[in-house]
Amino acid sequence: NAGVTQTPKFRILKIGQSMTLQCTQDMNHNYMYWYRQDPGMGLKLIYYSVGAGITDKGEVPNGYNVSRSTTEDFPLRLELAAPSQTSVYFCASSSSLNSNQPQHFGDGTRLSIL
Amino acid sequence: AQSVTQLGSHVSVSEGALVLLRCNYSSSVPPYLFWYVQYPNQGLQLLLKYTSAATLVKGINGFEAEFKKSETSFHLTKPSAHMSDAAEYFCAVSDRGGGGNKLTFGTGTQLKVEL
């Protein structure tokens, strides 16, 4: 039972490079989310999606883009990497059956921008 | 807008002692509340959730939390700490109908368990 799978687990980028963080879930969840976690700051929502073809901004969307072409996949793209984007990124998903459903998290991608 | 405050970024207890991690929320509607645990280099795992069915909620690993509307609190407790409880704990509130079941997280409490 895979749940939410994120790749890669670690990555080092140079300033100005671009990359895509991959996220896939096998629970047939409609809702998916991207967070970043910085020390002492908790988790901040970057983008979320309520279904294939529908995405919306969260609290900290600047410098990121997302797409949702299928129910399973929700990639996060960094176009021009900046040192401020050094963080741990988590993808999550939840059922849309009702609003008390918990979110299920992947193990994260640790990204360093140098 | 909803928010969550976790008092104490670091809590240290002795093995076998009571664990108390504090969470206060702010929400304009009756909230759904969650506690998650994060072990090193892992994602977040659900400990328990409050969805208005009962004010005392029991979760995994012997943890429980009590919803107190008058105090806008949802503190996490465990009667006897174990070394394996050392982790970071996050309290979160759901937007409840705002679209997408978005969560707002507290800043986390790092729990250290000492011999």
Side-chain angles (χ1 to χ4, degrees):
Chain A
N1 193 6
V4 178
T5 302
Q6 293 184 237
T7 56
K9 294 189 183 303
F10 305 93
R11 185 73 184 268
I12 298 174
L13 282 182
K14 294 182 178 179
I15 295 171
Q17 287 186 320
S18 62
M19 79 163 292
T20 299
L21 282 66
Q22 301 291 344
C23 175
T24 187
Q25 52 92 10
D26 62 359
M27 296 172 282
N28 200 33
H29 286 167
N30 281 335
Y31 294 168
M32 294 188 74
Y33 316 84
W34 274 106
Y35 295 91
R36 60 176 289 170
Q37 183 182 28
D38 301 296
M41 302 294 290
L43 279 77
K44 302 291 186 183
L45 183 65
I46 304 171
Y47 272 94
Y48 69 101
S49 170
V50 298
I54 306 170
T55 63
D56 206 349
K57 296 178 181 179
E59 186 179 357
V60 290
N62 291 344
Y64 307 95
N65 281 299
V66 294
S67 59
R68 185 93 182 271
S69 57
T70 67
T71 299
E72 295 79 17
D73 300 307
F74 190 41
L76 176 72
R77 184 155 180 87
L78 284 69
E79 292 292 352
L80 289 171
S84 60
Q85 294 178 305
T86 294
S87 188
V88 182
Y89 292 84
F90 288 99
C91 179
S93 71
S94 72
S95 168
S96 57
L97 286 177
N98 54 57
S99 56
N100 66 8
Q101 295 300 302
Q103 294 183 12
H104 301 259
F105 286 79
D107 285 338
T109 294
R110 285 149 186 81
L111 181 62
S112 293
I113 316 294
L114 303 176
Chain B
Q2 54 197 11
S3 65
V4 172
T5 301
Q6 290 185 244
L7 289 176
S9 59
H10 292 82
V11 170
S12 183
V13 301
S14 299
E15 191 174 34
L18 171 72
V19 176
L20 171 60
L21 305 182
R22 300 179 184 274
C23 172
N24 289 86
Y25 69 90
S26 171
S27 177
S28 58
V29 297
Y32 291 144
L33 294 159
F34 303 81
W35 275 100
Y36 284 86
V37 60
Q38 184 181 31
Y39 299 103
N41 299 316
Q42 294 186 24
L44 278 68
Q45 301 175 30
L46 181 69
L47 270 178
L48 49 81
K49 66 178 183 180
Y50 168 74
T51 59
S52 74
T55 56
L56 183 62
V57 181
K58 294 187 183 300
I60 62 172
N61 302 337
F63 284 92
E64 62 183 34
E66 186 173 10
F67 174 73
K68 292 187 177 180
K69 184 178 179 180
S70 61
E71 299 177 7
T72 61
S73 69
F74 190 55
H75 301 330
L76 182 70
T77 61
K78 182 174 180 178
S80 177
H82 191 273
M83 295 297 289
S84 61
D85 295 327
E88 190 158 22
Y89 293 80
F90 292 93
C91 182
V93 60
S94 172
D95 69 353
R96 193 167 184 181
N101 297 347
K102 299 185 294 295
L103 292 178
T104 298
F105 285 88
T107 53
T109 297
Q110 187 73 44
L111 176 65
K112 182 178 180 181
V113 181
E114 299 175 317
L115 288 172

